[in-house]
Amino acid sequence: MRLRFAPSPSGHLHVGNARTALFNWLLARGAGGTFILRIEDTDVGRSTRESERAILEDLRWMGLTWDEGVEVGGDHGPYRQTERLHVYRAHVVELLSRGAAYRCFCSPGQLDADRQAALRDGRAPKYAGRCRGISRDDARRRIEHGEAAVVRFRVPAHRDVVFQDIVRGEVKFSTDVIGDPVLVRSDGVPAYNYAVVVDDALMGITHVIRGEDHISNTPRQLLLYEAFGWTPPAFAHVSLVMGPDHSPLSKRHGATSVKEFRDRGYLPEALANYLALIGWSPGEGEELLPLDELARRFRLEDVGHSAGVFDEEKLAWVNRHYLKAAAPARLAALTAPFLQAAGWLGEATPEDEGYLEQLVPVVAASVDRLDQIPSRLAFLFDYDAARALARPEIRAEAEAARPVIEALAAELAPGSSLIDKGSFRAMAGRIREKTGQKGKALFHPIRIALTGEPDGLELDIAVPAMERGAQLSASRLRRIPSAAQRAAAFRAALGGPPAPSDVEG
Ligand code: GLU
């Protein structure tokens, strides 16, 4: 079994195309077949190497490595269409000499006029066939005189092209609705429908899995296989990925590219696992599986033909599963760029790495995506007592809980350290005894004073985290104030009468 993914490098990898790549990869891997990556860059105006590089990077990021293709090589190369022009040229000569293709000299103006006329008369606007009858000798003479020409394929009249699509069942097109397609443009660059057939045939592709937007191209391609005397591959046209309104997922719906989901902090295994679930299921209640297990279970016959809606809620659910399963060091490393973007981290030192390795997994257990982690850690790096107290609800609560705030500041004399749960709880116990407050009336004022926020991580995790952070010595993290510094700053910002203990002391 030989499968390929053949992206056009004219933009970022859309998640719908990533899913197409994934289905090809799953089938190849599950069947012990070969997965090939070919770059279809014949649209020279829109293709860029930069976009090609980005697509390769996104595929590798998702774990979709290829056995043959650009950058890895193989026996059927080159794998970039602009490096295969000689191959397309040789094969078009063959079609021309057999009369299966012909030169067309129609100007763009002429083609447009024919099109308008067809539309006016209610006919299908297909190529009118003006140049079909030009003899090979005449065509050669006109070319020698410098006239520009394209090569068109001669579509046989009044025939049905029928094929069994693995996903959609029998598909039938009448050749009467198909105008003679352009195979090679006047500048010698091949058109998609032609290059794809030559490549799939010469690369020995056995199964073509692609988006259903290509289904109307398939009869043209099948006619070309027939003209060359080649056996066509099996075709499977998978439904497009839709937005919630059932129109193809596009910018209007929000993020569409693998890059965007990656930048939001979805893990690669989560995105890949989720994409496999659009239109296919590995089994009831068994949706969360690693790629190799998905490959073992994947069957093209089980892919549904109805449109799959991209459900970011479900992607988040899958991501949460993988965030909980990820190794601490990996989570810390993946989170570092988000902290850098927030301006809280330079180049992480080994000490920072150790600190983040302890901290990040705790926070990651309660977010959908890594990009939500900075806001959960703002209490560490962005603590500002005055700013917190400028919030009316925090000021009101602090005023009402003044005894707790005072006791906290007194307990947390400079140099004190609540480096673990036990010492934090012991201190809370002492404040309870001093003030008679307990439960929420005790802990919530402590929370707002030490974190500057009304909610967040459990205090017996958050407080040791700030204490450890305050003790970092070889760090490129933004300075983290200690609990004692916070308690003092909060009490100072609260203002008002000094605590009785201060008066006595
Ligand atoms: N380059 C085409 C695309 O990106 C490939 C279509 C195909 O798989 O045949 O849509």
Side-chain angles (χ1 to χ4, degrees), residues 29-52:
R29 285 291 171 271
T34 303
F35 179 55
I36 297 152
L37 185 75
R38 181 174 74 226
I39 294 293
E40 303 207 324
D41 58 349
T42 54
D43 187 345
V44 282
R46 297 178 58 217
S47 300
T48 67
R49 275 302 169 97
E50 193 192 330
S51 157
E52 177 187 315

Side-chain angles (χ1 to χ4, degrees), residues 390-423:
R391 288 165 70 174
E393 72 281 13
I394 289 192
R395 166 142 307 260
E397 183 180 347
E399 298 278 9
R402 197 176 275 273
V404 174
I405 306 291
E406 302 288 358
L408 179 70
E411 276 291 333
L412 286 175
S416 67
S417 176
L418 304 175
I419 211 73
D420 53 40
K421 269 186 198 186
S423 44

Side-chain angles (χ1 to χ4, degrees), residues 178-191:
I178 305 174
D180 293 351
V182 172
L183 302 182
V184 181
R185 301 187 191 96
S186 54
D187 59 3
V189 176

Side-chain angles (χ1 to χ4, degrees), residues 4 6-8 40 192 196 208 210 214:
R4 59 29 170 215
S8 302
E40 303 207 324
Y192 158 71
V196 76
V208 167
R210 62 186 172 199
H214 283 292

Side-chain angles (χ1 to χ4, degrees), residues 352-386:
D352 294 332
E353 284 165 8
Y355 179 64
L356 293 174
E357 243 176 86
Q358 261 195 314
L359 177 66
V360 169
V362 182
V363 190
S366 68
V367 295
D368 291 342
R369 312 182 305 258
L370 296 172
D371 71 348
Q372 294 166 338
I373 288 184
S375 70
R376 309 285 169 121
L377 294 181
F379 77 96
L380 286 175
F381 304 107
D382 202 19
Y383 175 83
D384 182 336

